[in-house]
Amino acid sequence: MSVGYEPKILGFLCNWCSYAGADLAGVSRFEYPPNARVIRVMCSGRVDPVHILEGFKSGADGVLVTGCHPGDCHYVSGNFSTERRVEIMKKVVNKIGIDPERIRLEWVSASEGRKYAELVKEYTDSIRKLGPFPLNEISDLLDAAIGAFGSERVRWLMNKQLEEIEPEKAENVIITSIEREIERYQLFQILEKGNSTVSEMAKQTNLPSDVIVQHLIALMKQGTAAITAEAEHEYIYTLSR
Amino acid sequence: MKDEPRVGVFVCHCGTNIGGVVDVPEVVEYAKTLPYVVYADRNLYTCSEEGLNNIRDTIKEYNLNRVVVASCTPRTHEPLFRVACQEGGLNPYLFEMANIREHCSWVHHDSKEATEKAKDIVRMAVARSLWLEPQEEPELEIKDSSLVIGGGISGLVAAISLADQGFKVYLVEKEAELGGLVRQLYKLYPTLEDTSEILNPHIEEAKNHRNIEVHTSTTIKDIEGYVGNFHVTAIKNKEQIEFDVGTIIVATGAWNYHPPEGNFQYGVLDGVMTQLELEELLKEGKLERPEIIVMIQCVGSRVGEIWSYELVGLFHSQATRLLSKILGARGSEEGWAYCSKICCMNAIKNAILIKEQFPESEVTILYQDLRTYKEYEDFYRRARKLEVRFLKYIYEIPPEISEAPGNKLRVSFYDPFAGEEMSIICDKVALSTPLIPSKDGILLAKKLKIPLDQNGFLMEAHVKLRPIDTQIEGIFLAGTAAGPKDISESIVSAKAAAARASILMGNKVIKTEALTAVVNQDLCIGCGLCEELCPYGAHIVKDGKSTVIEALCKGCGVCVVACPQKAISAKHYTDDQILAAVKNAFTEQLT
């Protein structure tokens, strides 16, 4: 690790428990490393996966989301929504090259000043071990993920109670669907920059060409993409708006 | 950003609390370099009269349309600074705080590091402030009438208590008679007075009270609206009646559990009955001679695993599961995990009644643990003096009941103290069964969007701090609808519910939350995900569009993150505002 590397931590703190817990750490003068920049939200349930990913894009090496303990949420069940979203997110980001430890959800109550101080210390150390966020390496993928997590399909999947499906099955369906959505956004980004062919897209994304073709068919069905020309036995795809 | 922002930044020394660690002048100079910041200065104490005057005057002098105070936590000082902004002519929601004390100078000792962090915190606050918008706190009128659902002892007491204060009360009872479950009881512990002595005066008073409109044989069909303005539709003898109320008290009570047929030989052998059925025999004078009676405690209660005290929303599947459990109470052996709290006292009461009427009777109470708390200890000792026998059995080996010669019953059980199998030949066996959630309570909870606890009772807003309120503003819980209670506890909760409701109605208006969710009607497709997720029932989907009832919304923002169309935004916590802080957390320049 580079000498003197100081990790940058972005924290989302719910107003009622965790922010108050952080206040108590202050009142109690519990010292902790100055690496975290925190944002107060009313409920951890207000933290959008997009906010977390934007945090990485803005330079964070780790994002810490804290809320009230289960059962203590000021808004009854907001933290359950957060927990579900973060759990799914961690599994998805792992597949695009972001260590899931870079996203951490913890419960900190208004009385847990010491816990907050220790959490920031421990999390800073843990991110220090992981090193800087590989922003340059995965910046395109990160953008695709930001697009995907803001998309209609992913927001549905992350928030709808799928009672009819067994929980493990449901989770698999959700995670693969989000991965597919990220792939689709990768292609979308390429087409945004200009026309492209399947082989070019395969080169840029490392995705198998049959997967790319499937996505292009879907994008064409949506009316988002179209074949506009043919060159050297390949179709040229264009973004249509 | 609609108007060109003009931000004023006030950095506080807080004596030496901040100034002792953070280089305040450096932070001020830094703030001055940020775009849109037209004024930045420091105060020894920004919260002092002098500091607040400075804010008021500077707003006018510099024509500020955003104010950022870098000092302590907004959790304590935000209201104070907001008022100062308002007095300076600025909408209080155009104010933003940068917490450089609790989150900085108090927890970091290195002056350089703390100063750098303080600058970052100020930059984030300024960035966020650029996106702030003025907000209003709407006022809402509260109708001075109340609906009390359930005409048992809790409903009666709550209705009378509200009516005595001058509020109009609609008391709705589904049965033809008022009185509820208490009507089936004979005498009440610990005073042993007749139930009618307590119940009848209340029924008469409710019926004759000029402020109470009693509707028996009436069921609730629909309740629309929100705190202060509920519209109630009820069915009374097949006819529809409608009225408007400001508050609602739910006093739907509880049911008494019946063991499934064959369990403890209930419904199979004559002489095996529930404790309540035994009490009805006593009431009707059908216990005509001394008998040998065995009472078995904890039948159908304290069974199985206790779920952790986790709050759950009213998911459809859970409600359905609970309903089938309740309706199948006669057929399922599932039982209930909690202690029903009143059964020990009830059994002792009936034992005393029997022993006092026929001293030659033999009464044995088989218990797992005996719970006669507070002054009820006296009552327990009184039973012991009357030679009521208390014997312990263990949960793993429940007593068995079989036929015995001469039309008698044999109760066999393992006594852990004696360490051996015992059996008692008796005439009657009374099974002490718990109070369980009522079907009506669960259906009503669903209608009103009140969460249920894991057992199916209506859930209070906070188990310790708000035991009478529900999550839905303007709706309160009285009596056993919220869990097992005895008469005195039910009355306490009924009076508390009346007091809680009267606070709302007495004030006539309430200020509602300014920070609510808003639905962009053009983007909304009416999918209903927000309605499903909202813990307060604030989202209503009608005609393919969702709207937020501001009076119900608490502004948590869970729906905002869920909305597939991104049609919902949270006032004062919009994506733009949050992302402004995110994007400026680690850059030197404001972006």
Side-chain angles (χ1 to χ4, degrees), chain A residues 146-216:
Chain A
I146 289 174
F149 276 102
S151 73
E152 177 174 358
R153 180 156 73 137
V154 173
R155 290 168 90 87
W156 249 102
L157 288 167
M158 290 191 73
N159 294 289
K160 180 73 187 165
Q161 292 292 332
L162 301 170
E163 284 170 5
E164 297 78 12
I165 316 175
E166 292 161 44
E168 283 137 51
K169 251 188 206 163
E171 202 181 80
N172 276 334
V173 169
I174 292 168
I175 289 166
T176 17
S177 304
I178 300 176
E179 280 179 81
R180 294 292 91 81
E181 198 67 23
I182 295 175
E183 291 167 4
R184 202 167 289 178
Y185 266 83
Q186 279 180 279
L187 303 184
F188 186 82
Q189 282 170 351
I190 293 173
L191 291 174
E192 243 183 347
K193 288 176 197 149
N195 299 348
S196 191
T197 63
V198 171
S199 56
E200 278 173 32
M201 288 189 248
K203 213 184 284 171
Q204 287 184 48
T205 57
N206 285 331
L207 291 171
S209 16
D210 60 323
V211 172
I212 296 180
V213 171
Q214 279 174 22
H215 284 309
L216 287 170

Side-chain angles (χ1 to χ4, degrees), chain B residues 210-227:
Chain B
R210 64 191 164 89
N211 286 335
I212 300 180
E213 217 178 283
V214 176
H215 296 283
T216 47
S217 311
T218 306
T219 50
I220 300 293
K221 186 183 168 204
D222 202 15
I223 297 178
E224 283 180 335
Y226 42 85
V227 56

